Amino acid sequence: MRVKTFFDGNGLEQEVFDPISTASIHIVVTIEKEKSRGNFSASIKRHRDMWVTGLEGEEETRTWNGNGSGERHRARIDDEFGERIRDVKSTSLIANVVRSVDREAHPWPLSGTITRNVAITITNGRNGDMSRVRTVVITFNGTQFATLSVNGDPSHEVDLATRKGRN
């Protein structure tokens, strides 16, 4: 389910997007899916509640703010060790992520942060039962290189130009 609501500069709801008078958009997305086949099952739940502001008139930037949550549950009955289960729960906070309207001239977020808190629980995994909790913060600075902090350690650099899964 995806719901978009448009607002003018006075905070009044609009029926449709207007490129000049729409000042902000409220976007709510909820996804729930389940899959199973053979000895594998999975379920996913995600929710995002986002605001895009700075749209009114001939704007040069747009600002994203919002939050989200997610759950992913995977179970596999594989062998003589029985059922393996992996649960991932997360929350996210998008704070003042500023994007240029001209993505050719400025393809990377100009500023802002995305914070994700992730808790992973593995039951009967290859190394036994495990739990991990991480807080990950990505800080944007207008370049293709964002800073990634894990549990407060800001020593990671992310190349936003690298294709998904390769950085």
Side-chain angles (χ1 to χ4, degrees):
M1 175 183 80
R2 183 180 183 139
V3 177
K4 288 184 185 179
T5 309
F6 307 103
F7 296 91
D8 68 15
N10 295 318
L12 299 173
E13 190 173 325
Q14 299 176 305
E15 285 190 38
V16 295
F17 175 80
D18 181 283
I20 300 300
S21 68
T22 298
S24 61
I25 304 172
H26 184 210
I27 305 165
V28 178
V29 179
T30 301
I31 298 170
E32 291 190 30
K33 293 183 179 183
E34 290 190 25
K35 273 189 174 182
S36 64
R37 67 177 182 269
N39 62 354
F40 174 80
S41 66
S43 65
I44 297 172
K45 294 179 183 179
R46 289 189 182 143
H47 180 78
R48 299 285 181 266
D49 189 329
M50 304 288 299
W51 281 91
V52 184
T53 57
L55 303 173
E56 191 172 25
E58 303 270 339
E59 84 281 8
E60 293 184 17
T61 62
R62 296 175 179 172
T63 303
W64 291 78
N65 284 288
N67 60 62
S69 61
E71 291 183 30
R72 186 172 59 205
H73 174 82
R74 288 198 263 187
R76 171 171 283 171
I77 302 170
D78 234 9
D79 52 26
E80 70 273 7
F81 298 108
E83 184 177 45
R84 290 180 171 85
I85 299 171
R86 183 185 343 207
D87 287 308
V88 180
K89 295 182 180 183
S90 65
T91 59
S92 58
L93 176 66
I94 293 85
N96 299 314
V97 175
V98 178
R99 297 293 314 252
S100 174
V101 172
D102 182 356
R103 297 261 179 109
E104 292 234 354
H106 304 284
W108 322 114
L110 303 173
S111 60
T113 60
I114 298 175
T115 302
R116 255 184 113 194
N117 295 298
V118 182
I120 300 170
T121 303
I122 299 171
T123 305
N124 200 28
R126 289 183 181 153
N127 298 316
D129 296 348
M130 302 173 89
S131 292
R132 301 275 192 270
V133 177
R134 300 286 186 265
T135 298
V136 179
V137 180
I138 299 175
T139 303
F140 301 103
N141 61 11
T143 72
Q144 80 181 58
F145 300 102
T147 300
L148 178 83
S149 166
V150 179
N151 290 342
D153 177 8
S155 63
H156 307 281
E157 183 177 79
V158 176
D159 184 349
L160 300 173
T162 303
R163 293 177 65 188
K164 183 178 179 178
R166 295 189 183 172
N167 52 349

